[in-house]
Amino acid sequence: MSQSILKISHLQKSFGQNHVLKDLDFSVRRGNVISIIGSSGSGKSTLLRCINLLETPDSGSIIYQNKDVLKASNSEVNAYRTRVGMVFQNFNLFSHLTVLKNCTLGLTSILKIKKDEAEKRASFYLQKVEMSAFVNAKPHQLSGGQKQRVAIARALAMEPEILLFDEPTSALDPQMVGEVLAVMSQLALEGLTMLVVTHEMAFAKEVSDEIIFMKDGIIWEQGKPNQLMQNPQRPETSEFLTRFRQC
């Protein structure tokens, strides 16, 4: 059985009086895909932002390679951030930069890789997501699906150990969803460790090793896709899945 690469323990996060994450515990095994499902406002995106340290948890621990990153030095935190990539709902591409420069900026500025090597690496990952023909395009010249594939290539170019996806298809037109999910499915087959906040239930069922159902800042249920979706153990999970199927 693969080893745990990330362990979340007693994680809590509030914004003022709003208690968004309430004592979360789970672990991620190397090479696994975990899909996180639940209604809007259940804390899914905040969880990813805490894991990536875009938000600072109020308490708990995030253990990565046997070290709590919430107690780490600044240099250790910066190193951790390079190992845990993130793909956002709204792409977050730099509008004034070409596709290629969007993908090399982190390599040259953060990893201090020379320009030639950065371009070579970025080109490799752009080819992987079938965006090689658009290296000189600006984001406004791309479709939503193309922008998201560039965002995935940018994250992959950093060669992270874990990649977080925050509803990567929710800003896309329906016909563009498939091209992004196809890229993600391929990454899963290649063994990339992924945490995916998603409303794409077919993807979650087919690609995930585990599914986490969140409600009101709590993990209500976690299990294998077939078990959780076909035989949920909690009425809250069953209610969510029934309501979702009716949408």
Side-chain angles (χ1 to χ4, degrees), residues 188-219:
L189 286 173
E190 293 172 7
L192 180 64
T193 308
M194 298 158 56
L195 270 70
V196 185
V197 169
T198 186
H199 291 298
E200 300 292 338
M201 294 299 154
F203 171 86
K205 184 177 181 181
E206 292 166 13
V207 177
S208 305
D209 296 285
E210 285 189 282
I211 297 177
I212 289 173
F213 168 63
M214 288 185 65
K215 177 180 169 66
D216 300 328
I218 295 168
I219 294 175

Side-chain angles (χ1 to χ4, degrees), residues 10-239:
H10 302 298
L11 200 71
Q12 302 205 44
K13 177 65 180 178
S14 296
F15 296 99
Q17 299 299 311
N18 185 14
H19 199 179
V20 180
L21 300 179
K22 305 170 185 175
D23 202 31
L24 300 191
D25 290 276
F26 69 96
S27 60
V28 182
R29 293 192 175 278
R30 189 181 299 275
N32 276 12
V33 177
I34 296 180
S35 288
I36 304 169
I37 64 173
S39 300
S40 296
S42 58
K44 308 182 303 295
S45 293
T46 299
L47 171 59
L48 287 197
R49 292 176 67 85
C50 284
I51 291 173
N52 201 36
L53 303 182
L54 292 171
E55 301 286 354
T56 303
D58 297 327
S59 60
S61 59
I62 300 173
I63 308 297
Y64 171 74
Q65 293 187 342
N66 300 315
K67 182 169 288 189
D68 186 354
V69 297
L70 299 181
K71 297 178 180 177
S73 66
N74 287 339
S75 63
E76 289 171 330
V77 166
N78 290 337
Y80 168 76
R81 283 188 168 128
T82 69
R83 308 308 298 144
V84 180
M86 189 147 176
V87 176
F88 297 88
Q89 178 177 341
N90 291 312
F91 325 129
N92 287 18
L93 298 176
F94 293 103
S95 61
H96 64 292
L97 297 180
T98 65
V99 163
L100 184 62
K101 288 191 175 179
N102 263 283
C103 293
T104 59
L105 184 61
L107 300 178
T108 55
S109 64
I110 297 171
L111 299 186
K112 307 301 182 186
I113 292 175
K114 291 181 179 179
K115 181 183 175 184
D116 288 351
E117 180 58 33
E119 289 183 351
K120 182 178 177 182
R121 189 192 289 193
S123 296
F124 171 81
Y125 288 105
L126 285 166
Q127 182 178 14
K128 194 177 186 68
V129 300
E130 299 184 359
M131 287 299 294
S132 294
F134 298 89
V135 289
N136 294 317
K138 297 283 184 69
H140 74 270
Q141 297 172 299
L142 306 177
S143 70
Q146 290 170 334
K147 290 176 186 175
Q148 194 59 291
R149 282 189 281 155
V150 171
I152 292 171
R154 177 180 61 183
L156 290 173
M158 299 292 286
E159 298 186 344
E161 286 196 275
I162 304 169
L163 195 48
L164 313 177
F165 291 84
D166 187 9
E167 300 192 22
T169 60
S170 63
L172 302 180
D173 293 333
Q175 65 267 30
M176 297 176 186
V177 170
E179 64 188 59
V180 173
L181 293 181
V183 169
M184 295 170 63
S185 298
Q186 182 59 37
L187 294 175
L189 286 173
E190 293 172 7
L192 180 64
T193 308
M194 298 158 56
L195 270 70
V196 185
V197 169
T198 186
H199 291 298
E200 300 292 338
M201 294 299 154
F203 171 86
K205 184 177 181 181
E206 292 166 13
V207 177
S208 305
D209 296 285
E210 285 189 282
I211 297 177
I212 289 173
F213 168 63
M214 288 185 65
K215 177 180 169 66
D216 300 328
I218 295 168
I219 294 175
W220 286 79
E221 189 165 351
Q222 179 175 1
K224 299 293 183 184
N226 284 338
Q227 176 268 310
L228 187 141
M229 290 195 154
Q230 295 177 8
N231 186 30
Q233 302 301 297
R234 301 289 297 268
E236 295 83 0
T237 315
S238 181
E239 179 189 350

